[in-house]
């Protein structure tokens, strides 16, 4: 298992079968591209995850990545928000996947970070590094917020920043994160739902106008046969 795929698996919603591949995950942590300190941190993350009850791990993942937008793993949400540009960016990314022999095989958005990492794990190293460089500021901000909230996922995101070799000042981003208003509290979530609700008139909203919500990831890929 490549390092990029490992990071993607560990960032993804922890499905039950993950616990069946503990040894494989730990072996993948011993990647020569990582410093000894990073290897130990990554192994510690995996061991802690494997020692956690799956239901508890899944609840923690939802509380971390599915509550509020600041820790969203949807890359374009941080770049384009809800603008129309996001839709075109999605189309372009799907086209890139298909041109290189991959097809989405689940109801998941193409900019979902674990899915993108799965894709990049099969691409040339230079291309993967270029992608990571371009999203480095997003991975850096996610890493800073995770560190500020004392979330174990911080190490995964910091590794992505390092692999992109971009000029990302994690200390500065963490300072910025410490000054942000949290959007994952009960009060913040209530305000979000209220703001979304007032956009509608007396008619019931259509299904595609539901307030933002991301169900647990089920993103996989398959190679397209020539």
């Amino acid at each position: 298992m490549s390092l990029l795929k490992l990071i993607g698996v560990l960032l993804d919603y922890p499905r039950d079968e993950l616990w069946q591949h503990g040894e494989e995950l730990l072996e993948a942590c011993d990647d020569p591209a990582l410093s000894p300190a990073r290897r130990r941190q990554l192994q510690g993350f995996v061991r802690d995850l494997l020692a956690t009850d799956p239901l508890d791990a899944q609840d923690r993942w939802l509380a971390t990545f599915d509550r509020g937008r600041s820790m969203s793993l949807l890359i374009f949400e941080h770049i384009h928000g809800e603008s129309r540009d996001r839709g075109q960016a999605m189309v372009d990314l799907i086209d890139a996947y298909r041109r290189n022999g991959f097809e989405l095989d689940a109801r998941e958005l193409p900019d979902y970070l674990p899915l993108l990492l799965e894709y990049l794990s099969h691409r040339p190293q230079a291309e993967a590094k270029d992608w990571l460089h371009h999203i480095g500021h997003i991975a850096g901000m996610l890493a800073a917020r995770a560190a500020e909230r004392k979330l174990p996922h911080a190490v995964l995101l910091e590794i992505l920043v390092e692999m992109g070799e971009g000029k990302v000042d994690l200390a500065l981003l963490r300072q910025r994160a410490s000054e942000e208003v949290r959007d994952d509290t009960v009060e913040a979530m209530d305000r979000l739902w209220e703001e979304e609700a007032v956009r509608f008139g007396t008619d019931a909203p259509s299904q595609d106008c539901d307030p933002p919500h991301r169900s647990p990831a089920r993103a996989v890929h398959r190679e397209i046969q020539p």
Side-chain angles (χ1 to χ4, degrees), residues 6 20-21 37 51-52 57 89 91 97 102 114 123 126 132 134 144 174 190 206 220:
L6 173 66
Q20 301 170 14
H21 300 279
T52 303
V91 172
Y97 286 158
F102 289 80
R123 301 301 301 153
L132 294 176
H134 278 90
R174 186 164 181 181
D190 285 343
S206 61
V220 297

Side-chain angles (χ1 to χ4, degrees), residues 120 122-129:
L120 293 178
H122 294 272
R123 301 301 301 153
Q125 185 176 0
E127 180 181 339
K129 182 178 176 181

